[in-house]
Amino acid sequence: MIFVDGATLTLTFPVGDGLSVVSSSTLVGYLLAINASQSGSMLFKEMFIEMARKPCFICIYENSRAFYGGIPCRVESPQRVFNFLVHRGDMLRPLWIVFTLPLLLVPLIGAVEPVQINYDIHSAFEDGESIWFTTKDQGIFAVWPQQGWKEHLVAPGELPANDTTCGVRALGRLWLGTEDGLFYSDLDSFTWSRVSDGELPSTKITCLAAGGGTLWVGTPKGVARLEDGSWTTYTKADGLGGDWVMDIEIHGGEAWFGTLRGGVSRYIPAEEAWQVWGRADGLVSDRVFSVSRSDSHAFVATANGFSVLDTDSNEFTNYGSDQLPSSSVTCCTWCEGCGQAWVGTGRGIAIWKEGEENLTLIEKVGEVELGRINGLEILGGVIWAMRSNTEWFLHLTTGVLGFDPMESEWIRPTFLDILIDQSGYSPGHPKRFVVQCNKRLEKTGSFRVLSGAGKEVYSGSLEERVDREDWDAYYWRGDFTGLELRGNFSIEVGIGGTSGVSYRFEIDNDVLLEECGELVYDFLSYMKCGVTIPGYRPRPCHLDDAVLPNGTHIDATGGWHCAGLWGGKYSEYHTYVLFNLLFALDMRPSFFGTIDRDGDDLPDILNHAMWGCDFLLKMQAENGSIYHEVEKIEVTDGVVGSNDDRPISGWMPIHNGFLAVAGLAGTSALVEDRYPSMADRYLDGALTSFRNYNAVFGEVPRSSIDAAAAVVACFQLHRATGNGTYLELAERYCNMTLGMPYSEYYGPFIPAALGHYLEVYPGTDYWQEIRDYIIGHAINGVSSRTAPAEILRPFDVPFIRNYQNDPRAVPALLAYNYTGNITYLEHGLRIIDFHLGVNPYGLCMLEGTGTRNPLGYACDFQAGQATDNPYTVGDPENPGGAHPGAIPQGPVLVDGRPFMSLGTNPETRTGETWLINTHFLQPIVLIPADSGEYPMEVTEGTMFCILVLLSVSLICAQREA
């Protein structure tokens, strides 16, 4: 049903018990709750929607998560549904629609994946069917190893206390030790009862053990024993070596205790006798963390090493840092079935075996760096090592690993990632994906492409496995170029007995341009200096910019920050942005030239260009030189003349000076009809700076990047003035560029510059030489990925920053345009796909599109920044500072391995959002238009959406009438 009330439109969808609500024409958030009839409750996170009145469009900037039948799922953005149902236009002007249907739920990446606990796991116990692990602050969880790592997480709110320290099954109950008391529950329920605090020496429980019809409870103030319903407490005064009990071991009717300051104690119940060993008796340290027993030995983990006590001879053998991964030994356990003592340390595991002089050391299992081992337990015939998480690409390795001594193999999760371009594919273009796994599965496998309704629409075989053991990773590649359908799809992969499903993605004409093109320059709106940015910047910043080196204050407000307030305002970066904006508009005028969200009869991309030009003019000296930067000071008082006014320093390089000329002149030519006075200002500034930089260019050693920038400056001046002299200069500098050694700065630039010139002036005398030059660079790019060493396999893309990598697709895409050679198109698309999801981290590195974006960006929008910064909201609902169009620096190689800092506060080297990351516009606009007519694979439920939209359109038409 559809209800219209003023400016609010409410849609009720007949989806189970579901209800979707849409709102008014302001910036709002929604908390949508939909009950699925067969799979329980699904809670959708708050979604932030930016809305504009003229014309209407909808953009979901934060993809939501849900749990569908216990499986983590993604809620895909409705934006793409609208894109293929309704062309962007003046639709439903004051009305806004948000809808969520079950068909839009897709599984998260990964096939068989244990609970990923991002905190320490300390202890384990079993209840007869399951193995339970306790964690700090985050509850407990169970696994059933025989059923393939299925889990059940008991969240802290379901437990009697949050800080669980240990657990045990004893006396027909489950017992749970916490930082604040001892609790017990029946085996068939989680209804907890608390042991009276008066029965225990302390409410802080450190360890539990059971045997012989008794329960032992360790605390920092002694140990308690429950037998026949009665409690007995033992302390140092009773013969215990020390009051702080760290571990308890029951063996042969005896109880052994490891104490923090009193060594190892042994209690013989039948004799009510105690025996204690300390340093004076040969123990390596009195600080004992763990104790374990075999029939002939006692094994002791201490702060300074590992001790083995021969219980017959009463003599110790000690092992120190020269024989262990770390002298800090945290735990130990005896495995009777394999005749080994396993020893956990701060850097991995050591294995002791009687009769062998040396220990066997294990510091790494597959992709897992073991690190600190918090606990070792033998449960269900498996040796369980409890540890903290580490990262393996997009995954956190599980906090627990198991070793099966019978099979002599480790039990650990299989991560199978299907890495796809999350922003989509064009039906008539090459379409590839990469499969990534942490295990060396079979050499090849198969895949199926599934429609939104689960129908198989394409199938194929994976290429033979690519082993990257230097990354602890294995790869397979797939190609589904032959699928020429439009719609929403996912890829299901099977390799041996392991399978996985990708995120949902779209195939449609020009999908990448529609998904990414506008977002890349929308990013600039969030980098503006001196303005309020709703939801991000509560008040204008830096209204006191800036002071010249001679102390004179000038108006240098405006412009763009780099990474928000964390970066200064760099004039040279502004010149790259202007080049990218004008390049995009010239290459795809039919797309960018029609987007006018603010309704000022000027394409929005030119509004952004004007903002950049205004700042360059403020930074321009009388002789035409342009200052390099307004230095970074995050917070100022905004008052001109006070001590914190930001200084201006340096001069921009020659090639940036020429790009400034190009940006000013090109913008002047393109805005002249709408804003003639501003166009005159820009042109005057361009001419002034050209005289300066052209003169300097003739007096200093020249480079090809300087000459290429001069080409762009001259053809844009000709465009703005019609003066043929500038076209002659462009030709001269073009010839110069072609004859000079290649150079680059902040990424490849020359192919894009010459390609831009050829696009705007196809009649140039050097058209053939320009094509040959660009094709030569494309050949070099293709040959680098097919080099014999195959160091770039399987992604065929160098691990360098995005602003350096993205422009490397330019010569390949231009070469395809010139020759039609599909090899060039494949190479260019590989680079774009890498940016949008086909990378080891499975990240779509453009905020606002794709399914999995970075958790955070190195910028001042992160939550918590508002504490010290009055110019930043620091929204706790947006902890990572995500903002539309943000592009991080991207993964790099560190010690030969891919590295990207994850989390909500990433390192700047991979997470910072520079202005020059707008270089991504270059390859996006060069993807050839796919004008073919392809059938659409209609997803179940799509017809319902179409009917809703048609109904809404009719109601709106009636209202306007």
Side-chain angles (χ1 to χ4, degrees), residues 118-133:
N118 191 20
Y119 32 77
D120 291 348
I121 298 176
H122 289 280
S123 68
F125 63 97
E126 54 186 339
D127 65 5
E129 296 180 358
S130 313
I131 298 173
W132 289 90
F133 296 91

Side-chain angles (χ1 to χ4, degrees), residues 110-112 414-418 433-437 439-450 456 458-465 475-478 490-502:
V112 183
T414 298
F415 300 132
L416 188 71
D417 307 326
I418 297 93
F433 66 95
V434 171
V435 181
Q436 173 177 268
C437 190
K439 294 183 179 179
R440 198 170 186 264
L441 305 178
E442 296 180 9
K443 282 193 172 183
T444 189
S446 61
F447 70 91
R448 302 190 304 152
V449 181
L450 306 177
E456 180 181 313
Y458 191 85
S459 63
S461 298
L462 298 173
E463 296 177 9
E464 190 169 307
R465 188 186 65 234
Y475 295 93
W476 300 256
R477 297 191 289 195
S490 58
I491 296 174
E492 181 184 80
V493 166
I495 304 173
T498 304
S499 62
V501 180
S502 75

